[in-house]
Amino acid sequence: MALPLEKSYTIDDIYALPEGQRAELIDGQMYMMAPPIRVHQKLVSSFTKIIGNYIDSKHGNCEVYPAPFAVFLNEDDRNYVEPDISVICDKNKLNDKGCNGAPDWIIEITSPSNPGHDYGVKLFKYRTAGVREYWIVNPSKQTVIVYDFENEKKTNQYSFDDTVPGCIYEDFSITIAELLH
């Protein structure tokens, strides 16, 4: 379960964690991360491949990064996240450490121990940081919520059996149930 620790932390504290320990930092609060379950990793792998292949087929400039990949959301020392999938279209945001600023598209796959973190804290943080599109994929409920932060017209909830349309890519869609077979 991702629980906040009780003091104000910085990115230096993230880098000081023991090898193999993962955490995220949101507004100075550290949230420890549990190891992901198998279905989580299967979805991360599938999303990375499918989105990457789509971008390549369109000769696009965006890049796809699966977790663990550092995103310094506000370009400060109090916010550090590792979205399950980050799609970054502005290569000026990328350096050897990760992404400085908001990715264009983030996908989070909920953890059984703390799904509310993705629906609350991260939803607010991603929206205010300038993320254009945010998906919350919930394997236990077999649902996907798509947030279109640019214009809200495609914000909707879908089941894994539905064809889920992308927002920043008008002709991209995916049926998540097909990824799990």
Side-chain angles (χ1 to χ4, degrees):
M1 177 183 282
L3 296 174
L5 300 179
E6 287 301 317
K7 71 171 210 169
S8 186
Y9 293 90
T10 68
I11 289 171
D12 289 339
D13 296 307
I14 293 288
Y15 284 117
L17 290 171
E19 183 76 26
Q21 179 82 47
R22 290 179 56 214
E24 292 183 311
L25 187 65
I26 298 176
D27 295 328
Q29 291 296 303
M30 190 179 301
Y31 297 86
M32 305 311 289
M33 297 168 66
I37 61 174
R38 187 180 69 81
V39 69
H40 179 281
Q41 291 305 94
K42 185 172 186 168
L43 286 168
V44 167
S45 177
S46 295
F47 278 127
T48 302
K49 182 170 63 176
I50 289 167
I51 295 168
N53 288 343
Y54 169 83
I55 292 169
D56 289 346
S57 75
K58 300 292 184 177
H59 307 289
N61 292 326
C62 302
E63 295 185 15
V64 181
Y65 293 94
F69 179 73
V71 173
F72 306 93
L73 269 180
N74 296 77
E75 300 184 65
D76 62 19
D77 70 345
R78 296 175 34 85
N79 290 281
Y80 168 97
V81 291
E82 293 182 2
D84 292 315
I85 302 290
S86 298
V87 178
I88 297 111
C89 300
D90 180 354
K91 293 193 178 166
N92 292 323
K93 291 182 178 181
L94 297 171
N95 65 22
D96 288 341
K97 288 189 173 187
C99 177
N100 293 295
D104 293 88
W105 180 11
I106 288 178
I107 299 174
E108 292 283 10
I109 299 158
T110 61
S111 162
S113 62
N114 190 19
H117 190 62
D118 296 319
Y119 292 101
V121 174
K122 286 186 175 181
L123 171 63
F124 175 78
K125 196 65 188 173
Y126 292 160
R127 172 178 247 145
T128 58
V131 172
R132 296 167 57 200
E133 178 174 357
Y134 175 41
W135 289 20
I136 303 173
V137 179
N138 188 324
S140 64
K141 292 185 177 180
Q142 302 239 324
T143 59
V144 182
I145 300 178
V146 174
Y147 292 94
D148 177 359
F149 292 147
E150 286 190 306
N151 56 36
E152 302 293 331
K153 69 180 179 183
K154 291 186 182 175
T155 296
N156 207 344
Q157 181 170 318
Y158 302 89
S159 79
F160 275 22
D161 294 319
D162 293 332
T163 300
V164 182
C167 302
I168 66 170
Y169 297 116
E170 296 274 327
D171 61 344
F172 176 85
S173 63
I174 191 168
T175 305
I176 296 172
E178 294 173 0
L179 305 180
L180 298 173
H181 297 298

